Amino acid sequence: MVDASTSAHGDLKLSHLTKSFGDFKAVDDLSLTIPEGSFFALLGPSGCGKTTTLRMIAGLEEPTSGTMHVGNTDITDMRPYRRPVNTVFQNYALFPHLSIFENVAFGLRRRGIKDVKAQVDKVLELVELPHLAERKPTQLSGGQQQRIAVARAIVNRPALLLLDEPLGALDLKLRRQMQIELKWIQTEIGLTFVHVTHDQEEAMTMADTIAVMNEGRIEQMGSPADLYDNPKTAFVANFLGQSNLIKGAIESNGADSLLVNLFGQKVALPRSRSAAKDSSILVGIRPEKFRIQPEGKEMSGNILTGGVISDVSYIGVSTQYQVEMPWGQELIVFEQNDDGVPPLDKGDKVKLSWEPIFTFGLDGSQDANAGSKLIADEEE
Amino acid sequence: MKQATRWFSKNLIRIYAGLGFTYLFIPVLYTFAFSFNDYRKSNLAWRGFTLNNWKNPCGAPDICNALGNSLKIGLIATTIATILGTLIALALGRYAFKGRTFVNLLIFLPMATPELVLGASLLTMFLNFGFNPGFLTIVIAHVMFCISFVVVTVKARIASLDPRLEQAAMDLYADERETFRRVTLPLLAPGIAGAALLAFSLSFDDFIITNFNSGNVNTFPKFVYISAERGLPAQANVIGSSMFFIALIIVLLGQVVQRKRKVS
Ligand SMILES: Nc1ncnc2c1ncn2[C@@H]1O[C@H](COP(=O)(O)OP(=O)(O)OP(=O)(O)O)[C@@H](O)[C@H]1O
Ligand SMILES: [Mg+2]
């Protein structure tokens, strides 16, 4: 039953992929290439079209327009069972009438493989559930079902493995362990993984490339470090880690640095790191890049004065300050706890400084809070 | 005081349940008891205990011929109605097509139409087409009214089936046929089995429609109805009781199998 198309391999290429449900575009003109053998993470808020994208790649949802290729094979109109793709479903979708063993063996048997025991046992060993082989799915906990869903897919070693939040139901420890396991499987077997997740830390630690999705479109794509250091939109800056985005106006445009007026105070940033289109700019600084000092002390680099600490939270390795600036905005500052005691208190007058090279600039016409509320909602 | 109230409410439910079951089972008990009656012409008055009726259930004239016909008709009609009904239910439950709402409505019609009307018009139709009423016309009539019940029962099961399970099967290299065989059908099986049991009992039971379309073929309900005028033989009680116990055993077996599956 294995045919040529099932063994197709190569880069996954999506071109102008669109999926509409009525008037609503769940996926909007998506184009991207996922190199063979890479670990690709799709990150985005709930409802942004991640599952819909995966379902189109798996052949379970018909694209409204656009094409999909694996290597040189056009898979756009291929039946799901002919695609070299397996999916770990968001809701597991284990077969309730089959034992765990038969669930895992399902794909192997359909491809006409007779001797499945060795392979099934091995993959059950991998997800650490060999003792549950004879049980039915309803007799498993959510986390166990999730691991079986992973096992059922990877046992087939497809060219492309789609994982739809495969670790969502696991506790933190098991989650970290499975992340390492999955990453190991991916590099060992050389499969291409497309991994959907809400968890930005998971995406950052596991993926070679992250695509941040929002409202059916890709906001930005790149390596984890690149996305973190050089976000191109306010949404990405806020969704991937936290950012302080301050509205300003570009005053002078030097050869390799810009001078920006932030509510009367002047700061500099490298010209190469600015994505501003005109003189209106959002100046971005990650919270851990700030240094915080009591008012009156000498500081170097970019400096903002006139802050008042409005909140202090001590979180082990670091202390998190909220500083209210004269223009009313609350900035977030993370300070390493080198001596273990928070040296500043609520109500203290402070100034903030940072190196100009740690500053990024975004187009000033967008909402500075885009993407930040979504995270807060999800963590509730 | 509080304890007394609780004791009372607990036992009230028991008393209530007891009364309910008595109401339900008195006719069955009565039928069972009178299957041991040493009856003469009619089986209305108790004349003494005997095992003769149970030893010789075919003792009344034509009773076993009628029973055999009913069983045969039941099995054939159930098989056809279950297969056709399941396919219709799949079409209605799984595919969007023009006129689906209308077909859904049509399926309910035979259940809503009075049996007398159905029986009479079927007979007219058969006669118009030059069919002589007999075994075949009974089967056709039974298939017709059983299908609706099968469709409704199986469709309920399909509605509760997660389509993502079939998608998962397709994702795991099962083509349409394999998906149906390995996933859809096994998951629908309990619903289909229930529908078949229902169809059989409806067919086995039916008197009104059968009476119109049977010509001189005898069925068990027809036998009971006709001989009730002259006096029902106790063998009818024997067969009635047996059917009840067989149904009971089937239900109990089903329970045991299900419980075993859950445990293992
Ligand atoms: N069959 C459908 N009909 C109509 N709208 C749909 C359908 N499937 C998905 N949608 C809509 O498309 C959008 C994207 O859905 P999708 O399931 O892809 O989101 P997601 O990014 O996977 O979200 P989550 O992180 O919550 O799983 C949602 O707004 C959803 O309501
Ligand atoms: Mg989803």
Side-chain angles (χ1 to χ4, degrees), chain A residues 12-250:
Chain A
L12 172 71
K13 202 164 143 223
L14 311 180
S15 322
H16 306 289
L17 206 58
T18 299
K19 178 72 197 180
S20 309
F21 295 108
D23 291 340
F24 175 72
K25 280 189 174 162
V27 175
D28 190 2
D29 196 32
L30 193 92
S31 294
L32 56 86
T33 300
I34 299 175
E36 183 174 13
S38 67
F39 197 121
F40 188 91
L42 257 184
L43 186 65
S46 185
C48 71
K50 305 181 296 289
T51 298
T52 308
T53 306
L54 287 200
R55 285 173 58 81
M56 284 193 284
I57 300 172
L60 304 173
E61 201 86 68
E62 204 181 325
T64 311
S65 63
T67 59
M68 297 175 275
H69 287 81
V70 173
N72 292 322
T73 318
D74 186 344
I75 62 163
T76 315
D77 299 314
M78 210 180 256
R79 303 295 296 149
Y81 46 85
R82 298 211 182 280
R83 301 188 185 204
V85 174
N86 286 119
T87 309
V88 179
F89 287 80
Q90 190 167 13
N91 68 334
Y92 328 139
L94 299 179
F95 304 124
H97 60 298
L98 298 178
S99 68
I100 295 307
F101 184 94
E102 284 305 323
N103 261 282
V104 177
F106 195 91
L108 298 174
R109 291 205 197 280
R110 297 293 84 71
R111 282 185 297 153
I113 295 165
K114 287 276 171 324
D115 190 20
V116 297
K117 182 145 176 39
Q119 292 187 59
V120 174
D121 285 348
K122 201 173 143 207
V123 76
L124 284 178
E125 204 76 55
L126 199 67
V127 296
E128 300 190 351
L129 297 172
H131 54 292
L132 300 182
E134 293 315 314
R135 288 217 200 153
K136 289 282 172 63
T138 48
Q139 298 164 325
L140 265 55
S141 75
Q144 289 169 338
Q145 290 183 40
Q146 203 158 45
R147 281 186 279 163
I148 295 303
V150 171
R152 186 177 70 172
I154 57 176
V155 74
N156 299 297
R157 301 186 173 211
L160 190 61
L161 189 68
L162 310 176
L163 303 107
D164 199 347
E165 303 195 31
L167 309 177
L170 305 182
D171 62 50
L172 200 64
K173 186 158 166 276
L174 198 53
R175 202 177 166 122
R176 295 284 169 257
Q177 190 184 329
M178 281 293 288
Q179 284 174 2
I180 295 166
E181 214 72 86
L182 280 179
K183 182 77 192 165
W184 181 83
I185 293 165
Q186 189 261 337
T187 34
E188 193 71 8
I189 314 182
L191 306 179
T192 311
F193 273 35
V194 182
H195 185 104
V196 161
T197 176
H198 274 122
D199 180 349
Q200 40 154 316
E201 195 180 326
E202 187 171 299
M204 301 276 264
T205 51
M206 295 176 85
D208 310 321
T209 310
I210 299 178
V212 179
M213 234 179 133
N214 184 29
E215 295 179 349
R217 292 168 170 277
I218 296 216
E219 286 266 335
Q220 195 180 341
M221 207 168 103
S223 72
D226 184 41
L227 283 187
Y228 190 79
D229 291 336
N230 298 305
K232 291 281 177 280
T233 65
F235 181 89
V236 175
N238 290 321
F239 194 77
L240 212 67
Q242 282 174 292
S243 292
N244 295 293
L245 299 178
I246 310 165
K247 237 179 167 15
I250 298 177

